[in-house]
Amino acid sequence: QVQLVESGGGLVQAGGSLRLSCVASGTIFSLNGMAWYRQAPGQQRERVAAITSTYNTNYADSVKGRFTISRDNAKRTVYLQMNNLKPEDTAVYYCGLSRGTGTVQFDYWGQGTQVTVSS
């Protein structure tokens, strides 16, 4: 079955950087759309960034210019490079995988990795 394992979260000061990774198994991967979502305490899960199987990307307005999503199909891994982090970026970050090639709907999720940004 499909499994997603995230890593790379942690505690960082405002203005700092982190890179999240998500390794997928049980799927072809190169044909799957991928995304990063986040959920802060008491808030709904929100999409942060997504990438299609053909490397088209899209971002939430709140992270444009600061975050970059990328993928390495040979490593079955999707990344989220986060620069100039702000306290409001604090959340649990989840990796999502779509059965399809696009980024409309995601069907599988990882367990999440905590990102905490101190002011």
Side-chain angles (χ1 to χ4, degrees), residues 37-65:
Y37 280 67
R38 66 186 179 188
Q39 187 167 20
Q43 297 187 22
Q44 290 187 333
R45 188 176 294 193
E46 64 169 347
R47 179 187 294 200
V48 175
I51 185 167
T52 69
S53 63
T54 54
Y55 297 86
N56 292 315
T57 60
N58 56 79
Y59 297 90
D61 288 343
S62 59
V63 307
K64 282 181 181 176

Side-chain angles (χ1 to χ4, degrees), residues 4-119:
L4 302 171
V5 179
E6 301 105 331
S7 62
L11 174 64
V12 64
Q13 288 189 330
S17 298
L18 284 174
R19 188 176 80 154
L20 305 183
S21 300
C22 172
V23 181
S25 60
T27 179
I28 295 175
F29 186 75
S30 62
L31 298 181
N32 300 113
M34 301 293 298
W36 287 96
Y37 280 67
R38 66 186 179 188
Q39 187 167 20
Q43 297 187 22
Q44 290 187 333
R45 188 176 294 193
E46 64 169 347
R47 179 187 294 200
V48 175
I51 185 167
T52 69
S53 63
T54 54
Y55 297 86
N56 292 315
T57 60
N58 56 79
Y59 297 90
D61 288 343
S62 59
V63 307
K64 282 181 181 176
R66 299 189 298 122
F67 291 11
T68 302
I69 189 170
S70 61
R71 63 190 298 158
D72 184 334
N73 289 341
K75 295 182 178 179
R76 308 170 69 82
T77 301
V78 62
Y79 302 98
L80 185 67
Q81 178 66 44
M82 305 185 295
N83 298 329
N84 190 21
L85 282 159
K86 303 176 180 180
E88 52 264 43
D89 295 318
T90 295
V92 178
Y93 283 71
Y94 297 91
C95 170
L97 181 146
S98 173
R99 291 193 186 100
T101 59
T103 56
V104 174
Q105 176 179 316
F106 296 91
D107 307 292
Y108 300 94
W109 298 95
Q111 80 288 352
T113 186
Q114 176 71 48
V115 172
T116 303
V117 184
S118 63
S119 57

